[in-house]
């Protein structure tokens, strides 16, 4: 991606963990990337799923922003905090970048209800961490089950796993249909793969049952 940056490049987005495939960028990888990015190019580090990351070298987004004037960190209350319907999130940036964001942002973009919910969520960190830890444990169990069946599943650091179906649009659609019939909704990307959000233990078992049928 660094090699693709040209004279016309203004913004680069680093999504970590990556959506929809799941792997996360390490701090060492991000530092190496930033060393190759011209200071005139803004780097947006999207950490929508940061609470689910359990890698050995996780990104310290806030420290990275402090160290680089051209880095912006974005996070959301939609995932780990469960406030997806309220559409509330935030950015961490240097003052001049934050000022530019305010100029182009929609007025009243976050409702008073969403703001109240976000503040209330911050007061319930222990409950949020407990929920995330439980989901991460199920994610690891689902990953292990899929790999045991022989699926080449990439590392998963978000609240979802990725089943690859490269170059096979029909298989992705068929898998999604089979999952739907089993009572589980997944998101197919025809020709690439299927993104599966980690849900209740029963839902994960149903996914494994459907996946097993596709490996026969």
């Amino acid at each position: 991606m660094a090699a693709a940056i040209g004279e016309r490049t203004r913004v680069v987005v680093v999504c970590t963990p990556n959506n929809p495939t799941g792997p996360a960028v390490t701090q060492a990888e991000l530092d190496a990337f930033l060393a190759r990015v011209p200071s005139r190019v803004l780097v947006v580090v999207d950490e929508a799923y940061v609470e689910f990351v359990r890698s050995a070298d996780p990104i310290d987004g806030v420290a990275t922003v402090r160290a680089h004037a051209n880095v912006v960190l974005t996070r959301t209350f939609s995932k780990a905090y469960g406030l997806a319907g309220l559409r509330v999130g935030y950015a961490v940036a240097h003052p001049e970048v934050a000022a530019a964001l305010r100029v182009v942002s929609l007025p009243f973009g976050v409702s008073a209800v969403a703001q109240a919910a976000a503040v209330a969520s911050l007061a319930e960190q222990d409950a949020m961490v407990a929920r995330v830890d439980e989901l991460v444990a199920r994610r690891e169990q689902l990953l292990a089950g899929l790999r045991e069946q022989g699926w080449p599943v990439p590392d998963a650091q978000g609240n979802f796993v990725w089943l690859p179906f490269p170059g096979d649009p029909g298989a992705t659609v068929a898998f999604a249909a089979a999952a739907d019939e089993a009572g589980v909704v997944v998101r197919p990307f025809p020709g690439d793969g299927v993104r599966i959000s980690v849900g209740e233990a029963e839902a994960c078992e149903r996914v494994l049952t459907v996946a097993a049928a596709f490996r026969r």
Side-chain angles (χ1 to χ4, degrees):
M1 190 160 66
I5 294 175
E7 290 300 318
R8 298 179 60 195
T9 305
R10 294 294 178 265
V11 179
V12 176
V13 179
V14 178
C15 183
T16 179
N18 186 57
N19 183 14
T21 57
V25 176
T26 66
Q27 186 67 57
E29 290 170 335
L30 182 61
D31 289 341
F33 174 70
L34 292 173
R36 298 180 60 190
V37 178
S39 59
R40 62 175 177 77
V41 175
L42 192 68
V43 178
V44 179
V45 180
D46 180 352
E47 285 194 310
Y49 301 92
V50 62
E51 292 86 359
F52 301 96
V53 175
R54 298 293 184 275
S55 72
D57 184 24
I59 287 175
D60 186 335
V62 175
T64 303
V65 171
R66 288 174 175 156
H68 300 272
N70 64 326
V71 172
V72 175
L73 175 68
T74 60
R75 291 181 178 173
T76 180
F77 284 84
S78 293
K79 313 304 180 185
Y81 289 93
L83 303 182
L86 296 179
R87 315 304 298 169
V88 56
Y90 61 95
V92 180
H94 286 263
E96 58 273 19
V97 178
L101 285 174
R102 290 191 184 97
V103 169
V104 297
S105 64
L106 295 173
F108 312 112
V110 179
S111 70
V113 173
Q115 291 181 51
V119 172
S121 295
L122 291 173
E124 298 293 337
Q125 287 290 306
D126 291 344
M128 183 274 289
V129 170
R131 289 196 306 271
V132 169
D133 285 345
E134 182 179 354
L135 190 145
V136 167
R138 286 201 295 271
R139 179 188 74 193
E140 297 307 309
Q141 292 169 359
L142 181 57
L143 273 176
L146 291 169
R147 286 170 176 163
E148 187 175 336
Q149 293 178 6
W151 289 94
V153 186
D155 183 32
Q157 292 292 329
N159 64 347
F160 53 88
V161 299
W162 174 258
L163 285 189
F165 288 93
D168 194 347
T172 56
V173 174
F175 188 96
D180 187 63
E181 187 174 343
V184 180
V185 177
V186 301
R187 184 177 180 187
F189 291 77
D192 292 316
V194 177
R195 181 189 186 277
I196 305 170
S197 294
V198 180
E200 298 84 352
E202 180 184 356
C204 292
E205 288 300 323
R206 293 187 184 189
V207 167
L208 288 173
T209 300
V210 173
F214 274 73
R215 295 299 293 179
R216 292 172 186 167

